[in-house]
């Protein structure tokens, strides 16, 4: 369970939001909304502990996230604006490295399987430089196929994806919620998540 | 409990800003006073040095500036440690406010030292341990100021500058001893800083001058920290109130 | 009490005048310049912030109270 | 613990291999700077022999320094650094891995080519040997300290020059003991004292610097 | 013709003033590198005096070189370079302006501080004077040639190191004549010949290099 | 009059378009359309002479643009994806420099006037770093207020603008066309240009 209490965010001179709080229980999805520059990305970065809030508190399983950094990170999967893939490496290599840094070793078959699921079959060994924008995004998303960590934090995951891939990702998120996972995500597209308790949160 | 409360009140910019404003004239006056007496003793009363002639009078600036340049860095590192440990807003500003003064002191130490070295050693500069480490100290100051200036977000600037200061302060003794070693191993020291037992009157002059520089540094740093505070807290209620009151 | 015999002696500093006065002069220069600069920065800051505050207040008073 | 360090090293080395330019350029910079000196100073052998340790060490220092800006910049730009900071391992360990990889790519090759360049300066065999050894021992400290500077200047305007400003003063002890060891050997005094101090500094840098870098990285990620 | 050059210079200087760090950092890099050498080589005054011209020149060269990557990179990133290329004036003139501004910011300060550093190496007054003069005359050539390299590597991966690789070989003649003039003066031979060659090279570089840079920029913009 | 004949564009291995041609007469606007990556920006960069076409010819007033570079540039105003403003300088300074580089000197009043028109009154002296994304875009657009050159090439000019500013810009473009100017632009937003002959051109 993730709880945020009375969060305040200052960037430069702007107070982006203040007094923001919510609770995210297993099986729930929070759909974060707001205009450009409202502070959605800033809020997500606070939640994952990269941006210290001006005031307020964020608790994971009842304890402040600052006090249990490594445990919290082990429970957390974040996908940001950037894909975090290396253009020089192949999708397979990228996937392996990402899994290893997340503390989850992966055998070859499982990796190939995940890549095939995101539609990259046949491209596992092509350097990512040659992939299209959408395919690059898919390399990053492949992690979600095998990820069993309880909390997903997704910043505009649908960007650059085509319609089929958007549907596929919505399914993946639903499955995660049905397994008792939690998720918080932002998106400017209207996407229907078929299962799980979806709640909207508007900032700015 | 009451202590804690007071400390935090003191450390809050809204309280500190006017307090600093009131303190500055006192420190400035003390600085001028000590300086005048020190100069009077050092320049007019103190007799000549039997080894160095009148040239030794540079000591009344050289030693205080050298001390201050090192001491200010330590103080900055102290504030940096406080800032990183307790996340107080004031400490970063204090460190930043001290830096230019520290750099100037280091520069003056080098300048007066060079002007002293020419008549005493026959050269403006030698690569001696003390001189070299003072030069590096100047670089550390400049690096710190450049780093802080390059970061837009003041809180990030404080933290990054703090790390640099702490790394630097660990390095200063290492630098000093490495240079000393390098120098003394390589060749017999061609340079002897004359350690003539100073006449008491000279010592008094020097101590007074050191005090004067100290007061000066405090006054200037307080003045600078006020500017920093104003800029950083420009949207805070107390600044707005103060500015509009002064308006009226 | 005073060590010097004449003002000229004082200026000559036993032949070290250039070095001694060079040191004291530059130090004096720096120690006069620094406070002046600091004070100027402070005044400039205050003036700019006041200007911004006034501009803001004007903008607020002009915008329709919605 | 060790596993995450090895994973990071493996990935960074793989990347360096793919890019190639990385390894070759640091090395070439080293070679070029060292070769510039005889051009700037003139061809007297005696003089050059005296200069050799200093010049080679300063060049090694500059070559290492020039490769620093990219140490974290690429990972920062493409979002990998965030992911690393969010991994369940302490960031200090990850930085240790990246520092070691940086040394393998930018320090080790210098040590390997240093004897050849030393010969150009007419150094004797024992001096060549000590020179190689000092560069081998000293460059890890350069990578470690440099990583702090790279982390502090990450994402800043004009970061490259600022980085050198921050890092060079901190490099000085390494330079002095590194070049000092060679000089002591050349002059027959024996460089053992210098060498052990160098080793001590490297150990300290490798152990302590990654944590300072990690703290700086967290600030850069805010 | 002249007006556009002045406009470009004025803008670049204004930017440098706003950033401050730019000017200060190139200068301090120079100072630091020069100060490193005595640390690497040892404090013997005689030796240092011999080295001074070479060391100062190599340092000037490196300092100029390190400020090169940003010569066009900022304008490229924010789209200003496109607008400059589309202005109704020949791009070569605009590059001339940028080169001059680069020299004013990164070359001229070196010349101004060189005498002070020369004093640290115990150079005599006439040698100091010639040293300053060579740096004053020689650095425009460095800026001009460097601009070509900066334009050629604009937007490439690992551009910084690649840039030094391209530019350093071209800097060698400037280095040789620059340091040579000072040495000739120190040894009493008189450095006039060197100086006039240096002046000739600078004239050629300032006249010719901007057009080569302009051509390279057009390629980078494609 | 701008004419393009049989243009072909290759990027890497992809042929983005081939055999593309059109004529743009005074008072006309070409509205360039196509999906992301279709080659719109590439086409515009060909038209302004920064990207040489693989084959085909571009003529301005009947003569190939390569042969009259400076004259062509004097007739051309280009606004790209990037704003071409310096974050360190103020809007006023940026505007002055841009005008000067375009060969049009500007007195203080005209500059202040143009900036006021784009809604930057009161911010003329604030470094652009502190401006919002939309305000930065407006600094770049301020040039169009005073620009009287016949050919405008605008790459997604409406990006980051709010509704009022979009309307304002549409007016500006209309006025340009009514003065006998020509324009070619791309945009993903549907924007109504009130006057002038608007033509669509679809690629990809
Ligand atoms: C550029 C040249 C010089 C520099 C950078 C320099 C630096 C320093 C520093 C950092 C100190 C304080 C160190 C301490 O208190 O332990 C100091 C103290 C002192 N210096 Fe210098 N110095 C220079 C030249 C000279 C010269 C030429 C002389 C005299 C011939 C001199 C005489 C002294 C004396 C007497 C002290 C006081 C020592 C003490 O109180 O322990 N210095 N200098
Ligand atoms: N250093 C700074 N100084 C001033 N303002 C800043 C600074 N850093 C960020 N901001 C502002 O903070 C906000 C950051 O917004 P954030 O990236 O969280 O928006 P978002 O809701 O994710 O937007 P988007 O939908 O475009 O992704 C922006 O309005 C930006 O202008
Ligand atoms: N060096 C290259 N190698 C391979 N493909 C390239 C290369 N450079 C560009 N491309 C491709 O050329 C196309 C360039 O498209 P362009 O930027 O003209 O698109 P656009 O229509 O302006 O898109 P948008 O609407 O996103 O602005 C892209 O599909 C890109 O992948
Ligand atoms: Mg966002
Ligand atoms: Mg486009």
């Amino acid at each position: 369970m993730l709880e945020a209490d009375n969060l305040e965010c200052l960037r430069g001179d702007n107070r982006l939001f203040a007094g923001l709080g919510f609770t995210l229980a297993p099986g729930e999805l929070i759909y974060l909304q707001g205009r450009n520059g409202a502070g959605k990305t800033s809020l997500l970065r606070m939640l994952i502990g990269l941006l210290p809030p001006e005031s307020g508190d964020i608790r994971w399983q009842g304890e402040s996230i600052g006090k249990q950094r490594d445990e919290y990170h082990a429970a957390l999967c974040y996908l940001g604006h950037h894909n975090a893939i290396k253009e020089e490496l192949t999708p397979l290599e990228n996937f392996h490295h990402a899994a290893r840094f997340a503390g989850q070793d992966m055998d070859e078959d499982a990796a190939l399987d995940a890549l095939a699921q995101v539609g990259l079959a046949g491209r596992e060994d092509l350097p990512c430089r040659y992939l299209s924008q959408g395919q690059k995004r898919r390399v990053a998303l492949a992690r979600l196929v095998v990820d069993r960590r309880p909390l997903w934090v997704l910043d505009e995951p649908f960007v650059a994806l085509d319609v089929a891939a958007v549907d596929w990702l919505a399914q993946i998120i639903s499955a995660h919620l049905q397994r008792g996972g939690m998720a918080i995500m932002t998106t400017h597209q209207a996407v229907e998540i078929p299962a799980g308790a979806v709640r909207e949160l508007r900032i700015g | 409990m009451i202590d804690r409360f007071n400390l935090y009140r003191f450390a809050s910019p809204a309280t500190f800003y006017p307090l600093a404003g009131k303190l500055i004239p006192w420190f400035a006056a003390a600085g001028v006073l000590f300086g005048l007496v020190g100069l009077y003793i050092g320049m007019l009363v103190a007799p000549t040095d039997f080894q160095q002639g009148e040239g030794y009078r540079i000591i009344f600036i050289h030693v205080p500036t050298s001390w201050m340049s090192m001491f200010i860095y330590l103080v900055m590192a102290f504030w940096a440690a406080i800032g990183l440990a307790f996340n107080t807003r004031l400490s970063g500003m204090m460190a930043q406010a001290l830096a230019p003064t520290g750099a100037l002191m280091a520069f003056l130490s080098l300048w007066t030292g060079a002007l002293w070295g020419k008549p005493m050693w026959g050269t403006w500069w030698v690569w001696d341990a003390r001189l070299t480490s003072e030069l590096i100290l100047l670089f550390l100051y400049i690096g710190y100021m450049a780093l802080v200036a390059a970061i837009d977000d003041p809180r990030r600037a404080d933290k990054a500058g703090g790390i640099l200061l702490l790394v630097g302060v660990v390095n200063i003794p290492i630098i000093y001893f490495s240079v000393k070693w390098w120098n003394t191993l390589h060749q017999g020291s061609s340079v002897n800083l004359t350690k003539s037992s100073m006449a008491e009157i000279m010592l008094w002059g020097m101590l007074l001058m050191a005090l004067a520089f100290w007061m000066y540094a405090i006054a200037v740093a307080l003045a600078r920290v006020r500017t920093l505070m104003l800029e950083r807290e420009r949207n805070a209620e107390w600044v707005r109130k103060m500015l509009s009151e002064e308006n009226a | 009490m005073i060590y010097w015999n004449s003002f000229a002696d004082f200026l000559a500093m036993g032949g070290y005048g250039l070095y001694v006065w060079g040191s004291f002069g530059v130090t004096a220069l720096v120690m006069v310049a620094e406070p002046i600069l600091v004070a100027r920065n402070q005044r400039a800051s205050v003036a700019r912030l006041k200007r911004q505050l006034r501009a803001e207040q004007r903008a607020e008073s002009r915008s329709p109270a919605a | 613990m060790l596993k995450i360090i090895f994973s990071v090293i493996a990935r960074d080395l793989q990347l360096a291999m793919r890019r190639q330019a990385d390894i070759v350029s640091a090395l070439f910079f080293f070679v070029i700077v060292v070769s510039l000196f005889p051009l700037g100073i003139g061809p007297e052998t005696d003089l050059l022999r005296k200069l050799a340790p200093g010049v080679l060490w300063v060049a090694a220092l500059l070559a290492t320094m020039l490769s620093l800006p990219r140490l974290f910049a690429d990972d920062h730009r493409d979002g990998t650094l965030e992911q690393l900071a969010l991994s369940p391992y302490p960031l200090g360990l990850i930085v240790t891995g990246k520092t070691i990889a940086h040394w393998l790519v930018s320090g080790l090759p210098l040590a390997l080519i240093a004897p050849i360049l030393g010969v150009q300066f007419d150094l004797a065999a024992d001096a060549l040997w000590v020179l190689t050894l000092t560069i081998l021992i000293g460059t890890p400290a350069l990578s470690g300290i440099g990583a702090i500077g790279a982390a502090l200047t990450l994402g800043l305007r004009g970061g490259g020059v600022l980085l050198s400003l921050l890092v060079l003063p901190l490099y000085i002890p390494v330079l002095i003991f590194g070049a000092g060891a060679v000089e002591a050997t050349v002059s027959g005094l024996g460089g053992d004292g210098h060498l052990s101090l160098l080793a001590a500094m490297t150990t300290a840098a490798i152990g302590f610097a990654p944590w300072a870098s990690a703290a700086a990285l967290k600030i850069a990620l805010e």
Side-chain angles (χ1 to χ4, degrees), chain A, chain B, chain C, chain D:
Chain A
M1 183 136 111
L2 183 73
E3 292 157 289
D5 241 5
N6 207 18
L7 292 180
E8 178 182 5
C9 176
L10 282 183
R11 312 240 43 188
D13 278 354
N14 309 352
R15 166 170 289 113
L16 292 181
F17 51 80
L20 189 133
F22 62 83
T23 316
L24 182 64
E28 276 186 355
L29 166 75
I30 287 183
Y31 203 143
L32 199 59
Q33 305 207 305
R35 59 175 170 69
N36 279 143
K40 302 183 293 298
T41 300
S42 307
L43 176 58
L44 294 189
R45 291 175 71 82
M46 277 182 188
L47 293 180
I48 60 178
L50 286 183
L51 181 69
E54 192 65 21
S55 69
D57 196 23
I58 301 165
R59 287 184 304 278
W60 171 248
Q61 314 294 29
E63 202 182 343
S64 182
I65 60 168
K67 295 200 185 115
Q68 42 161 354
R69 233 182 147 103
D70 292 353
E71 293 86 340
Y72 182 53
H73 285 171
L76 166 76
C77 172
Y78 172 68
L79 197 96
H81 276 303
H82 295 291
N83 289 326
I85 61 172
K86 292 283 167 192
E87 307 250 299
E88 290 88 353
L89 303 183
T90 67
L92 192 60
E93 288 163 343
N94 268 307
F95 185 79
H96 267 306
H97 289 307
R100 219 169 281 147
F101 293 150
Q104 311 164 315
D105 253 325
M106 194 80 0
D107 62 7
E108 191 87 50
D109 280 349
L112 286 173
D113 211 55
L115 288 173
Q117 268 206 44
V118 294
L120 288 171
R123 318 243 166 185
E124 298 91 348
D125 291 326
L126 195 68
C128 288
R129 174 174 49 246
Y130 299 116
L131 295 182
S132 80
Q133 200 59 30
Q135 286 168 325
K136 281 181 197 165
R137 193 74 184 159
R138 289 166 190 226
V139 176
L141 289 170
R143 279 166 47 213
L144 297 182
V145 175
V146 293
D147 203 292
R148 292 291 173 272
R149 288 177 288 185
L151 177 61
W152 286 6
V153 177
L154 312 176
D155 200 354
E156 313 226 2
F158 299 102
V159 153
L161 294 184
D162 61 24
V163 183
V166 167
D167 283 348
W168 168 82
L169 182 55
Q171 294 293 344
I172 289 276
I173 297 175
S174 295
H176 172 68
L177 297 177
Q178 282 177 328
R179 277 196 306 270
M182 292 163 248
I184 176 164
M185 75 173 186
T186 72
T187 166
H188 289 294
Q189 287 168 262
V191 175
E192 193 64 36
I193 305 290
V198 179
R199 221 157 12 115
E200 292 200 0
L201 180 67
R202 176 166 291 276
I203 56 177
Chain B
M1 193 57 214
I2 287 167
D3 256 344
R4 243 175 98 82
F5 178 69
N6 277 342
L7 197 66
Y8 273 102
R9 240 179 73 78
F10 168 74
S12 96
T15 331
F16 189 80
Y17 184 89
L19 180 66
K22 282 190 205 105
L23 287 177
I24 290 170
W26 294 101
F27 281 111
V32 170
L33 190 72
F34 286 131
L36 287 178
V37 179
L39 280 179
Y40 172 76
I41 293 177
M43 300 305 284
L44 298 177
V45 177
T48 188
D49 185 84
F50 65 98
Q51 270 178 338
Q52 309 194 15
E54 309 299 348
Y56 92 95
R57 288 180 200 276
I58 293 176
I59 204 173
F60 295 114
I61 299 182
H62 175 72
V63 172
T65 48
S66 304
W67 283 347
M68 287 312 289
S69 67
M70 293 182 294
F71 185 68
I72 289 178
Y73 198 88
L74 286 179
V75 175
M76 284 166 61
F78 165 79
W79 282 117
I82 301 270
L84 288 177
F86 303 110
N87 206 8
T88 48
R89 274 185 299 175
L90 189 58
S91 17
M93 290 189 246
M94 284 307 259
Q96 269 188 50
L98 282 165
T101 306
L104 278 179
M105 291 298 157
F107 165 75
L108 286 176
S109 162
L110 289 169
W111 177 260
T112 54
L115 280 175
W116 200 353
K118 187 65 183 174
M120 295 305 140
W121 307 334
T123 170
W124 301 101
W125 181 260
V126 287
W127 290 94
D128 156 88
R130 203 183 246 177
L131 277 58
T132 308
S133 11
E134 184 74 22
L135 184 64
I136 295 168
L137 182 62
L138 178 63
F139 290 155
L140 287 175
Y141 274 119
I142 289 165
Y144 170 80
M145 291 193 292
L147 178 66
V148 167
I151 304 180
D152 280 332
D153 179 6
R155 281 194 310 174
R156 267 188 65 188
D158 283 348
K159 288 191 206 162
I163 291 177
L164 182 67
L165 283 173
L166 290 181
V167 173
V169 88
V170 171
N171 258 272
I172 283 181
I174 301 179
I175 292 169
Y176 180 75
F177 285 109
S178 70
V179 183
K180 201 172 169 97
W181 255 62
W182 152 76
N183 212 352
T184 47
L185 271 190
H186 200 271
Q187 56 168 38
S189 178
S190 59
V191 175
N192 264 320
L193 289 184
T194 43
K195 284 266 177 145
S196 51
S197 55
M198 252 183 281
E200 199 176 331
I201 186 81
M202 294 183 197
L203 199 65
W204 271 110
M206 212 173 75
L207 288 180
L208 279 170
M209 287 304 283
L211 267 178
F213 275 85
W214 208 320
M215 297 296 124
Y216 167 84
I218 293 177
V220 174
L222 284 180
R224 209 180 268 116
V225 92
R226 275 169 53 107
T227 315
L228 282 173
M229 230 171 236
L230 208 57
E231 289 285 343
R232 286 201 191 177
E233 308 258 321
R234 59 182 173 275
N235 291 320
E237 208 36 57
W238 67 271
V239 174
R240 287 168 168 270
K241 208 168 128 228
M242 191 189 68
L243 287 176
S244 45
E245 271 165 13
E246 274 179 47
N247 242 356
Chain C
M1 186 72 182
I2 298 234
Y3 164 80
W4 303 97
N5 296 321
S6 72
F7 190 65
D9 270 4
F10 179 61
L11 281 187
M13 279 285 155
Y16 295 114
L18 185 65
Y19 304 108
V20 173
W21 295 120
S23 302
F24 279 75
V26 169
T27 307
L29 207 72
V30 165
M31 290 178 73
V32 170
E34 196 192 3
I36 290 179
L37 282 178
V38 170
R40 232 180 49 181
N41 281 345
Q42 167 83 8
R43 271 201 305 276
S45 277
V46 170
R48 197 163 41 76
L49 292 178
K50 269 188 188 167
R51 196 154 10 98
Q52 281 173 11
L53 192 68
R54 265 202 306 272
E56 257 174 55
Q57 283 164 351
R58 224 180 312 126
E60 267 168 29
S61 63
R62 223 182 303 147
S63 72
Chain D
M1 291 290 272
L2 277 180
K3 205 168 134 214
I4 181 70
I5 299 187
F6 282 126
S7 309
V8 175
I9 297 178
R11 191 201 61 146
D12 277 16
L13 288 184
Q14 196 177 37
L15 275 172
M17 291 299 160
R18 286 291 153 80
R19 282 181 192 143
Q20 291 175 343
D22 285 20
I23 304 181
V24 179
S25 351
L27 198 58
F28 257 73
F29 183 81
F30 182 60
V31 174
I32 290 180
V33 172
V34 170
S35 316
L36 279 181
F37 269 91
L39 293 174
I41 284 160
E44 298 158 57
T45 329
D46 277 354
L47 187 60
L48 287 182
R49 201 179 306 122
K50 264 199 201 146
L51 295 185
V55 169
L56 276 150
W57 254 99
V58 171
L61 202 148
L62 294 176
T64 314
M65 208 191 64
L66 284 187
S67 61
L68 286 177
R70 299 187 58 213
L71 180 52
F72 300 116
D74 289 345
D75 282 350
H76 186 47
R77 212 184 359 251
D78 66 17
T80 314
L81 196 60
E82 278 172 10
Q83 294 295 342
L84 290 174
L86 290 177
S87 88
Y89 308 100
L91 190 53
L93 288 185
I94 292 171
V95 176
T96 307
K98 284 192 75 72
T99 310
I100 295 175
H102 179 259
W103 176 73
L104 289 174
V105 170
S106 78
L108 187 59
L110 304 190
L112 299 182
I113 209 165
I116 299 175
L117 296 175
V119 167
Q120 290 190 336
F121 282 72
D122 202 32
L123 279 185
D126 61 338
L128 278 181
W129 164 236
V130 176
L131 174 71
T132 311
L133 199 65
T134 56
I135 294 192
L136 203 61
I137 301 179
T139 41
L142 298 185
S143 293
I145 299 169
I148 303 180
L152 282 173
T153 56
L154 191 60
L156 299 186
R157 269 174 298 134
V161 195
L162 186 58
L163 173 59
S164 18
L165 200 65
L166 297 186
V167 152
L168 276 177
L170 303 180
Y171 275 1
I172 286 173
V174 183
L175 168 67
I176 286 178
F177 288 120
V182 188
E183 266 157 33
T185 313
V186 171
S187 61
L189 293 171
D192 289 356
H194 284 102
L195 277 178
S196 30
L197 277 169
L198 200 61
M201 281 192 311
T202 292
T203 317
I206 287 289
F208 164 75
W211 303 92
S213 312
L217 283 181
K218 281 185 195 143
I219 296 168
L221 281 177
E222 271 182 18

